[in-house]
Amino acid sequence: MKDDNCIFCKLAAGQIPSNTLYEDEDFRVIMDIAPAVKGHAIVLPKQHMNDLLSIEEDTAKKILFVVSKIASAIKDALGCDGINILQNNGEAAGQSVFHLHFHLLPRYENDHFTIPWKTLSYAEGEAEAIAEKIRAVLR
């Protein structure tokens, strides 16, 4: 299924020019046109799905393989020290295009690129109570 109003569907289908790194029948990987860092790539499924929460198991296996393959190629080609793999689900989590995608961000020692994150702590028993709520849904 494709969404005619989705920019990432159009990019994945090759309807909008991009620097394609990889393509197979299910996925296209392109260079981000507004990169956070040099070498920033995006893995796009050709089939429209809003986010990771709506993905089928077979597609999940395939996309993780592609993410790993391209991340390894970026690391080898650019000689970076690491790779951030970023994937957002929902507006509150920073998702701005509602088509499943993974960002691959090459990282270098002292590159000064940051992803904001403030750590919290749990009150006594709070982590276990939250874990139990999640386990109940999984049953």
Side-chain angles (χ1 to χ4, degrees):
M1 179 180 89
K2 294 195 177 21
D3 179 340
D4 292 335
N5 297 315
C6 175
I7 186 105
F8 279 5
C9 280
K10 292 175 183 175
L11 284 163
Q15 296 171 345
I16 297 173
S18 62
N19 286 306
T20 300
L21 299 176
Y22 172 86
E23 182 175 10
D24 63 25
E25 69 179 47
D26 298 315
F27 306 100
R28 182 182 295 255
V29 182
I30 63 171
M31 298 297 293
D32 194 308
I33 62 167
V37 295
K38 303 289 172 112
H40 179 173
I42 303 175
V43 178
L44 300 167
K46 290 183 176 179
Q47 182 180 23
H48 184 82
M49 52 200 83
N50 287 340
D51 56 33
L52 193 64
L53 307 180
S54 59
I55 194 170
E56 294 181 10
E57 184 176 350
D58 191 48
T59 303
K61 289 176 186 176
K62 288 179 184 177
I63 200 166
L64 190 55
F65 175 78
V66 171
V67 166
S68 176
K69 178 179 183 167
I70 303 306
S72 292
I74 290 170
K75 191 168 189 308
D76 290 347
L78 301 182
C80 56
D81 300 311
I83 302 262
N84 280 116
I85 299 171
L86 181 63
Q87 201 285 311
N88 301 321
N89 297 279
E91 191 173 345
Q95 186 177 10
S96 59
V97 179
F98 294 90
H99 179 115
L100 174 64
H101 59 286
F102 286 77
H103 294 271
L104 306 179
L105 303 153
R107 300 300 306 276
Y108 300 90
E109 293 293 329
N110 301 311
D111 64 11
H112 304 292
F113 174 76
T114 61
I115 298 172
W117 191 310
K118 291 182 181 179
T119 61
L120 305 173
S121 61
Y122 290 108
E124 181 71 33
E126 186 179 19
E128 177 56 31
I130 292 170
E132 182 51 38
K133 286 181 182 181
I134 297 167
R135 287 192 292 263
V137 172
L138 291 170
R139 290 186 193 116

